[in-house]
Amino acid sequence: MALREILVVPNPVLKQVSTRVEAVDDAIRALMDDMLETMYAAPGIGLAAVQIGVPKRVIVMDLAREGEEAQPRYFVNPEILWASEETAPYEEGCLSVPEIYDEVERPAQVKLRYQTYQGETVEEDAEGLFAVCIQHEMDHLEGVLFIDHLSRLKREQAIKKVKKQVKAA
Ligand code: NI
């Protein structure tokens, strides 16, 4: 496993649409291992492969609370089969937009289909933080960031703040 660099805005790679994974093989599992290690080190609760510069439809996540045992999760080629009409707001952040948080409104429940770490196809219902996180990460696969859901002014301010942080680092 290896730590990878997390790209931040306005890196143009983050705007790329990620391509489907043809087969969940050892190379994809090695990518997922690196992603998980990188996410834990950040620390974060979700990461899409494009955020480490690999535009493939792969997501890792761990929603365990502090003090709980780790619950690593892997999503390959995730699709949303159904989304509730009911929406819910959540104050989101993103490792590619460090230290910026703002409220985004998304469907409160979704039904997913994806492939697991072993390449098995499964369906699962998501709600609460899981629903927020998977929709946020799946946006990354389309080149969409949570700040793209905000007003243009807020988005430009966020990018400006991140640029300043990068310069100061
Ligand atoms: Ni993100």
Side-chain angles (χ1 to χ4, degrees), residues 61 63 73 75 110 112 114 124-135:
M61 191 183 296
L63 302 178
R73 314 200 43 173
F75 305 86
V110 291
L112 304 166
Y114 60 93
E124 189 174 1
D125 294 319
E127 60 175 15
L129 181 57
F130 180 27
V132 171
C133 195
I134 193 68
Q135 291 178 85

Side-chain angles (χ1 to χ4, degrees), residues 51 94 136-137 140:
Q51 293 180 272
C94 179
H136 173 119
E137 300 308 329
H140 278 297

Side-chain angles (χ1 to χ4, degrees), residues 21-70:
V21 171
E22 290 308 322
V24 184
D25 55 16
D26 286 346
I28 292 294
R29 277 187 280 274
L31 170 68
M32 291 193 274
D33 292 344
D34 282 0
M35 286 169 64
L36 196 74
E37 189 183 350
T38 302
M39 182 191 82
Y40 283 145
I45 59 171
L47 189 73
V50 69
Q51 293 180 272
I52 58 163
V54 181
K56 291 184 191 292
R57 302 183 85 80
V58 177
I59 289 166
V60 297
M61 191 183 296
D62 190 330
L63 302 178
R65 295 211 186 84
E66 224 179 298
E68 281 180 349
E69 210 177 309

Side-chain angles (χ1 to χ4, degrees), residues 80-125:
I80 290 181
L81 303 175
W82 171 85
S84 64
E85 262 172 55
E86 186 203 340
T87 61
Y90 193 86
E91 177 130 305
E92 297 188 18
C94 179
L95 295 174
S96 294
V97 196
E99 290 173 46
I100 306 290
Y101 301 91
D102 214 323
E103 199 168 88
V104 177
E105 186 100 19
R106 300 183 187 272
Q109 287 119 20
V110 291
K111 187 177 190 65
L112 304 166
R113 180 190 291 146
Y114 60 93
Q115 284 163 275
T116 65
Y117 192 84
Q118 299 303 337
E120 225 184 304
T121 299
V122 296
E123 292 185 6
E124 189 174 1
D125 294 319

